Amino acid sequence: MAVDILVVDDEHDICQLIGETLEDEGYRVRTAHDGPSAIEEARRRCPDLVVLDIWLGDSRFDGIRVLEMILQLHPGVPVIMMSGHGTIETAVETIRKGAYDFVEKPFKMDRLLVAIKRAQEASSLRQENEELRNRSDFDQEDFRESVIPGTLQTTIKRLASSQGRLMLSGEAGSGKNYIARMIHGLSNRSRGRFVRVNCSLITESTFEKEIFGAESEDSITVGALENAHNGTLFLDQVDCLDKHCQKILLKALQEKSFKRVAGKSSITFDVRLISSVTSHIEESAKADLFLKDLLFHLCVTLLKVPSLKERLDEMAMLVEAFSRLSAKNHSSPLKTFSKDSWIALKAYSWPGNLKQLKNVIDWLYVMKKTETHITPEHLPVEITNEMPSLSINTDQMTHLISLPLKEARTEFERDYLKAQVTRFSGNISSTANFVGMERSALHRKLKSLKISRAS
């Protein structure tokens, strides 16, 4: 996406020369010839960079004042000052007031282009650092192969190359946020911002300011839609929005424009929309809890993100990945896990999915710091409490002893496999791997013993 540069100079020929040169370099250019129009352009949309002349032919509204007002409206936007009457004192003053660089007229265009490139790089670095602070551990590059199921990775790469609106459906903690960031990072919008809005925390009274922003005479609050311009807007848990907010959002998405709260000008936007839901969104729409038109607008493609219970075969890989992270964060050696501890981890229901698994592993490295080999007694009690018991009571033993060997073996096999199927939450691959049978052979055995996966 092209970088948006605002060029401000009272000399039209210079504006035109700079504008045409920058457009030839692939930049998108807006121009203004005096202070008020420059401020109006900056209010209409925050530029990525400003090239600003100090002397604007109006002593009441010179470039220094425009610089101060732009930085008040949009703190952090890089501004390159120009002057044909420059002195060291003037340059120092503009830098002290927040300008990124100072270019003295007449200048070679290459000098300005270098200054613009450096300002861009500094701004991008600042933005990347801000995004890194906001990222979770799931966003680290070395987790990609572990956290994202192999079956999804090809789909994600294909979706990243498109501009279509995408809805992610899955349980809380299953990695939807990570997948959304991954799609953004692999897309041609990766130079733009990834903006996440947690819709579960938005109320009717805060919705418009959060999504559209707000403005007053001397300040502007940029909302999520404007902030994500040329990037990706991730509406996390969008099904938590109430109907009133849904209607407001739908109108803005359909019109591709909005006004800030207390603002007068319409603002257009260009974003890739990704949303997530944790419930059965189609049922919510049928029950009139979610607007059908908004669902159709957001959900061009629906991607189901599997829960951890659906990924028990990948438990070892996930535990290893989170263990590496915890060991690094706590300066501890990697822990190993006993066979019984693996059984307990796979038997647990994991209502919090990947986030909960990560927290459990992190807890082990904090609370069981001296333990290098993890057994069931080291695990949190809520995990071991869900392990089914395989003990045989006296009555069962008496019953088995009274049977011929063939019948006793069959009955024991049935009870044993029922317990194992239950232990692994009906996952046949995990059960087969543990009991030492081929998957197809286990299927046949369960069928012959009339054991269902729901046992």
Side-chain angles (χ1 to χ4, degrees):
M1 300 296 173
V3 173
D4 178 32
I5 298 181
L6 174 60
V7 179
V8 186
D9 197 307
D10 62 330
E11 297 185 54
H12 290 241
D13 290 346
I14 292 180
C15 257
Q16 183 177 356
L17 173 63
I18 294 175
E20 289 176 352
T21 302
L22 293 180
E23 286 175 348
D24 287 344
E25 294 292 321
Y27 296 106
R28 186 172 60 249
V29 179
R30 290 183 279 158
T31 59
H33 305 294
D34 55 43
S37 60
I39 298 302
E40 182 57 34
E41 281 294 326
R43 291 181 72 90
R44 186 168 65 84
R45 185 187 298 284
C46 175
D48 296 314
L49 188 145
V50 179
V51 178
L52 172 61
D53 190 29
I54 289 180
W55 309 106
L56 295 176
D58 184 351
S59 59
R60 299 166 301 171
F61 216 131
D62 64 3
I64 298 289
R65 186 181 175 196
V66 174
L67 168 67
E68 292 174 333
M69 293 182 70
I70 286 178
L71 292 181
Q72 186 176 13
L73 291 173
H74 305 296
V77 64
V79 180
I80 297 173
M81 304 298 293
M82 305 182 294
S83 175
H85 313 281
T87 64
I88 292 177
E89 290 79 9
T90 304
V92 169
E93 183 184 4
T94 60
I95 300 299
R96 184 175 60 81
K97 289 183 178 293
Y100 175 79
D101 203 352
F102 180 90
V103 178
E104 189 174 1
K105 293 180 179 179
F107 53 80
K108 291 184 178 180
M109 194 58 68
D110 286 348
R111 166 74 177 92
L112 179 61
L113 291 174
V114 168
I116 288 173
K117 184 178 180 181
R118 287 176 177 169
Q120 263 188 274
E121 290 172 348
S123 180
S124 296
L125 183 60
R126 201 163 48 241
Q127 180 182 324
E128 286 173 12
N129 288 336
E130 181 182 341
E131 288 183 356
L132 282 172
R133 284 194 297 270
N134 293 329
R135 288 182 177 184
S136 69
D137 294 320
F138 285 5
D139 297 309
Q140 297 187 28
E141 195 71 24
D142 60 337
F143 279 100
R144 179 173 296 177
E145 298 300 321
S146 302
V147 174
I148 303 300
T151 52
L152 271 185
Q153 289 184 35
T154 302
T155 303
I156 286 171
K157 290 174 183 176
R158 187 168 64 248
L159 289 170
S161 65
S162 77
Q163 296 294 315
R165 297 181 293 276
L166 170 66
M167 180 173 283
L168 305 174
S169 174
E171 296 179 6
S174 56
K176 300 187 294 297
N177 188 2
Y178 177 81
I179 290 175
R181 285 183 183 276
M182 183 176 169
I183 290 173
H184 168 76
L186 293 172
S187 74
N188 61 2
R189 290 180 177 268
S190 58
R191 286 189 173 185
R193 289 187 176 91
F194 176 88
V195 179
R196 173 180 175 259
V197 177
N198 188 343
C199 297
S200 67
L201 301 180
I202 293 181
T203 64
E204 185 176 329
S205 61
T206 62
F207 175 79
E208 290 188 70
K209 185 175 181 180
E210 181 86 16
I211 301 298
F212 305 139
E215 62 180 83
S216 62
E217 286 188 11
D218 57 357
S219 68
I220 290 176
T221 301
V222 176
L225 267 175
E226 188 173 358
N227 204 20
H229 182 64
N230 290 333
T232 301
L233 178 63
F234 178 43
L235 298 172
D236 198 7
Q237 300 182 62
V238 70
D239 48 334
C240 291
L241 290 178
D242 64 33
K243 290 287 286 292
H244 178 71
C245 296
Q246 291 176 35
K247 290 176 182 177
I248 296 173
L249 176 63
L250 177 61
K251 183 175 183 292
L253 296 180
Q254 288 175 332
E255 296 179 356
K256 296 185 178 179
S257 67
F258 62 90
K259 290 182 180 179
R260 302 187 191 106
V261 175
K264 297 177 181 177
S265 302
S266 290
I267 300 170
T268 58
F269 60 89
D270 176 15
V271 300
R272 168 81 183 272
L273 276 170
I274 302 178
S275 57
S276 80
V277 293
T278 54
S279 63
H280 301 289
I281 190 66
E282 295 91 347
E283 294 178 9
S284 296
K286 288 179 182 177
D288 201 30
L289 298 175
F290 196 86
L291 290 176
K292 291 186 179 69
D293 286 347
L294 180 57
L295 175 60
F296 296 149
H297 195 92
L298 294 175
C299 187
V300 172
T301 303
L302 179 65
L303 182 62
K304 175 72 169 65
V305 181
S307 66
L308 185 51
K309 283 185 68 175
E310 297 173 279
R311 301 178 58 188
L312 291 178
D313 292 344
E314 302 171 38
M315 177 67 75
M317 182 173 61
L318 292 168
V319 169
E320 181 184 352
F322 292 136
S323 289
R324 288 199 311 270
L325 176 66
S326 293
K328 178 182 176 182
N329 289 344
H330 300 291
S331 301
S332 299
L334 275 173
K335 298 183 186 298
T336 58
F337 292 78
S338 70
K339 189 172 184 179
D340 286 345
S341 66
W342 283 117
I343 293 172
L345 290 172
K346 290 186 175 183
Y348 184 56
S349 57
W350 297 107
N353 290 287
L354 292 180
K355 281 186 179 180
Q356 186 184 12
L357 175 61
K358 177 189 172 298
N359 290 342
V360 166
I361 300 302
D362 206 43
W363 179 87
L364 289 172
Y365 276 82
V366 173
M367 302 303 294
K368 307 295 178 182
K369 194 174 182 65
T370 60
E371 304 294 342
T372 58
H373 187 63
I374 301 301
T375 58
E377 56 264 27
H378 299 136
L379 296 173
V381 66
E382 66 268 18
I383 293 178
T384 53
N385 279 349
E386 287 196 14
M387 288 184 69
S389 174
L390 287 178
S391 60
I392 300 176
N393 60 38
T394 304
D395 290 341
Q396 287 175 306
M397 183 59 70
T398 302
H399 173 65
L400 284 175
I401 292 173
S402 69
L403 295 175
L405 176 60
K406 185 177 180 181
E407 292 180 27
R409 184 188 295 123
T410 300
E411 192 156 328
F412 175 80
E413 252 185 353
R414 183 183 293 109
D415 291 340
Y416 173 79
L417 291 177
K418 271 186 179 181
Q420 297 296 0
V421 169
T422 301
R423 168 178 284 173
F424 293 102
S425 304
N427 187 298
I428 298 302
S429 295
S430 296
T431 306
N433 183 58
F434 177 75
V435 302
M437 296 178 67
E438 290 292 332
R439 197 174 189 276
S440 57
L442 178 60
H443 262 300
R444 290 193 296 272
K445 176 62 73 174
L446 294 178
K447 187 176 181 181
S448 69
L449 295 174
K450 298 180 180 178
I451 300 173
S452 69
R453 292 176 60 175
S455 296

